[in-house]
Amino acid sequence: MKISVLGLGYIGLPTALLFASTGHKVVGVDIDKRKVDLLNREKLPFQEPGLEELFEKARANFTATTEVPEADVFIIAVPTPLKVETKSADLTYVKSASEMVWPRLRKGDLVVLESTVPPRTTENLLIPILEKGGLKAGEDFYVAHCPERAIPGKTIYEMIHNDRIIGGINRKSAELTKELYSSFVKGNIYLTDATTAEFVKLIENTYRDVNIALANELAQIAEEYGINIWEAIELANKHPRVNLHKPGSGVGGHCIAIDPWFVIQGSSNGKLIATSRYINDTMPNYVLRKVKELVEHIKFPTVTVLGVAYKGNVDDARETPSLRFIKLAENEGFNVKVYDPYVREFDYPLLDLEEAIKDSDCIVVITDHDIFKFLDPKKIGKLMRHRYVFDSRNILDHGRWRKAGFKVKVLGDGKENV
Ligand code: SAJ
């Protein structure tokens, strides 16, 4: 098959290379000329475990370009960001990619939308554009939605091994897509209609968001009762049908903090989902309130934020709760210094550890990087002006920090600051 993949980002590029590595001829298309040039010079535009090796295997069957060529299959894997003002999907890129595809469509071709989209996007937006040339979807050419489910950091493994949901606009579209993806997918492939597939992808992430919000609300309630939420959750999860998630400083990333809005944007329901978004989005406010209690006697305190990645052990700071925390803290007159050994690009200067903790009054752990567990509180304490630490992810060895003279507060531990 000749496959054209539109959008060579975190999902599009690995997808294109997986198809190429199984013998298909793949042309990757991106509007970013710099990225295209880089790929044609055999360099990768970003890092992901296993991507180098995959590129090596796929190279003979892969080229990149800025123009959509004729092909048997078109896969659209462009971003669908959130429009912040309206809390709805920005479908500009899906539209422009489809506009690039229709002039190239021939009878018998297949178009697959991989991008995460609100329900009915395939039916109401994609198909009308693709039919502009006079060919009829479902008869002259085929269309399906095949959302990715891979987690950053394990993208390639999960693309191959996770189960897939494929939603066709008719049975033939779904079956053709299944046959195609079977060339590298080892997980089960389940077929449904396009709108259901769109919905399924979104509700998976909504499930996570709502459950994290529940954990965050319970952490705040436990705090009021003087109960340690971490112990309580561990015990509750001994129940065979309970799986409470972890509380923390909030939810970031390009999926879980966004997809729930796509579920409710076209619905008159969605109170629980919107409230969950609100709870998770305002966790940085709660963390700041608790930090303020900790350092209330210090005038113009300096706090050190540990971690700006949206989750532990990754270098990705998109939608990170740390940014909100920092802005709120600055508004309160705090001096904020930031340390994250993984993240390269951020809105605030990223300092080295020593600079970040020097003369600081309080350390605030926002991201659960494993590396923070190995910090030496004795050494750190010596550099600080006051020894306070707020652990929003419950990852530090608190006994050790207390022994080094720190006052330690853990989110939702139900204790006075000890
Ligand atoms: N978090 C908590 N408490 C928890 C779990 C996570 O506060 O108990 C926070 C994390 O710190 C992070 C955020 O939630 O800020 C999301 O992290 P994550 O690891 O749960 O998810 P993502 O965004 O990296 O990837 C998700 C995955 N979806 C699900 O697990 C349902 C992945 O499978 C999807 O493919 C991906 O979104 C996507 O592309 O939609």
Side-chain angles (χ1 to χ4, degrees):
M1 289 275 192
K2 190 170 172 200
I3 303 175
S4 175
V5 179
L6 285 84
L8 298 175
Y10 293 102
I11 299 302
L13 182 60
T15 305
L17 297 178
L18 282 166
F19 278 119
S21 70
T22 55
H24 297 286
K25 287 278 170 219
V26 180
V27 180
V29 183
D30 204 290
I31 51 170
D32 182 350
K33 192 166 178 318
R34 203 187 48 92
K35 196 183 266 180
V36 167
D37 289 343
L38 213 61
L39 285 164
N40 287 331
R41 278 189 278 121
E42 309 199 334
K43 293 207 168 64
L44 288 169
F46 57 88
Q47 298 297 316
E48 177 65 34
L51 197 59
E52 289 281 349
E53 295 83 339
L54 181 63
F55 195 22
E56 194 69 45
K57 254 175 81 185
R59 207 165 274 178
N61 291 325
F62 176 82
T63 52
T65 164
T66 52
E67 299 290 329
V68 179
E70 287 200 335
D72 307 307
V73 179
F74 300 89
I75 297 176
I76 300 176
V78 292
T80 47
L82 180 74
K83 282 197 254 174
V84 183
E85 327 75 54
T86 52
K87 306 281 188 219
S88 61
D90 177 354
L91 297 173
T92 317
Y93 302 114
V94 175
K95 268 191 208 151
S96 58
S98 333
E99 290 287 357
M100 287 166 86
V101 168
W102 77 258
R104 299 278 176 264
L105 268 184
R106 295 168 310 193
K107 275 202 166 186
D109 280 356
L110 171 68
V111 182
V112 181
L113 178 64
E114 279 239 12
S115 311
T116 304
V117 290
R120 299 236 170 94
T121 303
T122 306
E123 294 275 351
N124 294 350
L125 184 137
L126 186 64
I127 290 179
I129 297 178
L130 295 178
E131 287 183 335
K132 274 179 159 183
L135 297 177
K136 183 103 189 72
E139 288 171 21
D140 300 321
F141 66 95
Y142 304 95
V143 183
H145 178 52
C146 179
E148 53 74 25
R149 290 171 140 178
I151 201 154
K154 266 179 89 180
T155 302
I156 294 164
Y157 177 87
E158 291 209 345
M159 276 184 171
I160 298 170
H161 293 94
N162 286 2
D163 291 350
R164 284 255 174 178
I165 309 296
I166 291 177
I169 58 156
N170 58 6
R171 192 75 197 174
K172 179 101 189 271
S173 297
E175 271 160 9
L176 285 172
T177 310
K178 178 176 178 179
E179 203 181 310
L180 177 73
Y181 277 76
S182 299
S183 50
F184 71 82
V185 172
K186 298 204 174 110
N188 298 321
I189 297 180
Y190 299 95
L191 303 188
T192 181
D193 62 88
T195 306
T196 304
E198 292 165 343
F199 193 63
V200 169
K201 158 76 197 197
L202 299 173
I203 63 172
E204 290 166 6
N205 284 340
T206 304
Y207 166 88
R208 293 277 285 173
D209 197 45
V210 170
N211 278 288
I212 295 167
L214 175 63
N216 282 331
E217 183 162 281
L218 291 174
Q220 296 175 48
I221 294 170
E223 185 70 35
E224 291 171 332
Y225 282 121
I227 293 164
N228 185 332
I229 191 64
W230 304 92
E231 186 196 351
I233 286 178
E234 204 183 315
L235 294 173
N237 284 348
K238 301 285 180 207
H239 185 290
R241 286 174 296 283
V242 173
N243 176 25
L244 281 159
H245 289 35
K246 289 196 199 102
S249 45
V251 168
H254 46 115
C255 306
I256 294 183
I258 292 175
D259 293 359
W261 293 120
F262 293 7
V263 175
I264 57 179
Q265 70 172 69
S267 161
S268 53
N269 290 298
K271 280 200 199 76
L272 175 64
I273 295 173
T275 305
S276 301
R277 282 279 65 251
Y278 174 78
I279 292 173
N280 288 337
D281 274 352
T282 52
M283 280 312 286
N285 305 52
Y286 180 75
V287 171
L288 181 62
R289 221 159 63 225
K290 291 285 150 190
V291 170
K292 268 169 74 184
E293 285 171 22
L294 205 53
V295 296
E296 65 190 345
H297 61 285
I298 302 171
K299 260 198 187 159
F300 308 115
T302 296
V303 297
T304 304
V305 168
L306 292 191
V308 297
Y310 82 88
K311 67 173 178 180
N313 309 319
V314 303
D315 64 1
D316 190 339
R318 283 177 290 178
E319 312 292 323
T320 176
S322 309
L323 187 61
R324 188 175 172 106
F325 176 83
I326 295 167
K327 285 187 175 159
L328 289 167
E330 282 194 341
N331 283 347
E332 291 287 332
F334 284 37
N335 176 29
V336 185
K337 300 204 280 181
V338 183
Y339 174 65
D340 191 309
Y342 296 115
V343 174
R344 294 277 152 267
E345 272 172 54
F346 192 58
D347 294 11
Y348 287 80
L350 294 162
L351 308 174
D352 66 33
L353 181 62
E354 205 174 305
E355 249 182 289
I357 52 181
K358 196 165 178 300
D359 297 327
S360 174
D361 298 302
C362 180
I363 285 176
V364 185
V365 178
I366 302 271
T367 308
D368 45 351
H369 288 318
D370 283 332
I371 207 169
F372 295 154
K373 296 179 191 164
F374 306 108
L375 293 174
D376 181 350
K378 262 201 207 144
K379 273 195 201 150
I380 289 181
K382 282 190 192 131
L383 291 165
M384 291 178 66
R385 192 163 59 179
H386 290 97
R387 295 181 191 186
Y388 291 99
V389 60
F390 184 89
D391 184 357
S392 77
R393 299 279 177 182
N394 191 23
I395 56 162
L396 301 179
D397 178 347
H398 304 124
R400 227 173 125 221
W401 285 74
R402 287 195 179 101
K403 233 166 119 189
F406 277 83
K407 277 201 186 308
V408 179
K409 172 71 191 157
V410 183
L411 178 113
D413 67 358
K415 290 192 190 117
E416 291 299 310
N417 307 327
V418 288

